[in-house]
Amino acid sequence: MANSMEAKSRSLQQVRDKVASAHKDCSPAEKLHFYNQWATQYEEDVSVLEYKAPYLAAAALASVCTVNRETKLVLDVACGTGLVSEELQRFGFTLFHGLDGSAGMLEVAKNKELYQELKQCMLGQDPLPFDSDKYDAVLLVGALSDGQVPVSVVFELLRVTKPGGLVCLTTRSNVSNLKYKAELEEVMSAMQSKGHWEQILVQEVEQWEKAVSEKETSSNSDYIPGVIYIYKKHGDL
Ligand SMILES: C[S@@+](CC[C@H](N)C(=O)[O-])C[C@H]1O[C@@H](n2cnc3c(N)ncnc32)[C@H](O)[C@@H]1O
């Protein structure tokens, strides 16, 4: 028993060290290199952190998209290894396009044979390689945070969403991401004031995932909080 608990805590510490290195300041090229070499170990590591964002985002989207899910064309942005679309599939969605900056992550996603289309694109540098008004639902899960995808990407997400379609975003509420989160909320709310979209769901989650360092928690919890937002683009489908 003592040995297995030790093994578990060692492995949690290893994952913490790994993820902490992903959060450190580095160039976009270095970040991609990090994800490329993490790709085959990613799912095992995030399960140690009890990373639930893909399931939570899929459940939130399903709660506001209750009919004909199998006909909805979904774009999974920063899809990584495909966890979000896998969860969406459990809720009855079937049509997935994916996009990520990391060739290594895309390779793992491709092998799942879930996506009808997968593209490599560096968010924040390149426009999304998709037509305007194309998708019924666009999700960006686990990559809207300081040092990853810039806030300005939301304009592109809105552009490729169909009028009346849904945009589902997640971010973390840990201490070092609060400035980014405030900026994201300011931009999303300005887009609502301008009549581009309307917020239809906000879900705060206390135990989003395990903290990678004690500095990241504001209470005595081992977990950091996170949040899911869903917006509906104005106009009829
Ligand atoms: C934490 S993973 C999340 C993956 C997946 N959405 C999930 O929830 O499991 C972050 C993903 O964002 C991608 N990413 C980070 N910054 C990016 C950028 N600027 N452009 C494109 N992809 C990026 C990484 O390659 C990685 O696959």
Side-chain angles (χ1 to χ4, degrees):
M1 179 73 173
N3 280 347
S4 78
M5 286 189 58
E6 220 174 274
K8 189 156 188 218
S9 72
R10 238 193 348 260
S11 122
L12 176 60
Q13 191 52 51
Q14 283 168 344
V15 176
R16 283 181 165 151
D17 294 345
K18 181 90 189 167
V19 177
S21 75
H23 292 175
K24 78 175 197 289
D25 263 357
C26 62
S27 67
E30 286 168 324
K31 180 109 338 164
L32 280 192
H33 174 71
F34 170 83
Y35 277 110
N36 282 336
Q37 53 80 35
W38 195 21
T40 53
Q41 187 68 32
Y42 172 81
E43 294 191 2
E44 204 180 305
D45 283 358
V46 295
S47 82
V48 172
L49 289 178
E50 298 176 29
Y51 175 66
K52 296 179 285 292
Y55 164 75
L56 293 167
L61 186 72
S63 76
V64 297
C65 180
T66 53
V67 293
N68 301 328
R69 290 179 192 149
E70 70 285 357
T71 67
K72 306 293 186 199
L73 184 57
V74 174
L75 178 62
D76 184 357
V77 180
C79 63
T81 59
L83 290 177
V84 174
S85 292
E86 274 184 309
E87 295 291 352
L88 287 167
Q89 197 177 41
R90 294 196 179 101
F91 285 98
F93 293 89
T94 62
L95 303 175
F96 306 112
H97 290 181
L99 169 148
D100 201 277
S102 157
M105 297 295 258
L106 286 169
E107 187 60 28
V108 178
K110 186 173 159 223
N111 288 336
K112 292 186 177 164
E113 299 183 352
L114 255 178
Y115 297 90
Q116 286 78 44
E117 201 170 316
L118 277 172
K119 290 200 175 170
Q120 189 172 5
C121 164
M122 197 56 196
L123 299 162
Q125 287 180 10
D126 309 320
L128 293 188
F130 300 107
D131 291 341
S132 301
D133 301 339
K134 181 178 171 92
Y135 292 97
D136 296 294
V138 175
L139 296 98
L140 204 171
V141 176
L144 279 171
S145 62
D146 201 25
Q148 295 208 82
V149 175
V151 165
S152 58
V153 78
V154 294
F155 300 111
E156 275 294 281
L157 304 183
L158 177 76
R159 178 183 69 75
V160 300
T161 305
K162 276 184 191 170
L166 300 168
V167 181
C168 176
L169 309 171
T170 73
T171 195
R172 298 190 310 258
S173 314
N174 53 309
V175 175
S176 66
N177 202 49
L178 289 178
K179 188 159 167 260
Y180 179 98
K181 181 177 177 243
E183 191 193 334
L184 175 66
E185 289 182 345
E186 195 179 320
V187 168
M188 295 190 303
S189 139
M191 287 163 74
Q192 174 150 324
S193 304
K194 288 183 185 151
H196 296 313
W197 64 11
E198 186 190 346
Q199 188 176 77
I200 58 168
L201 178 145
V202 186
Q203 186 185 342
E204 309 266 357
V205 179
E206 273 313 305
Q207 298 198 345
W208 187 256
E209 65 193 39
K210 287 210 159 171
V212 292
S213 92
E214 278 162 28
K215 283 186 289 186
E216 294 295 358
T217 56
S218 47
S219 59
N220 280 336
S221 171
D222 284 344
Y223 295 84
I224 57 165
V227 56
I228 303 162
Y229 313 90
I230 299 186
Y231 284 84
K232 185 170 193 205
K233 183 169 172 174
H234 275 172
D236 292 326
L237 270 177

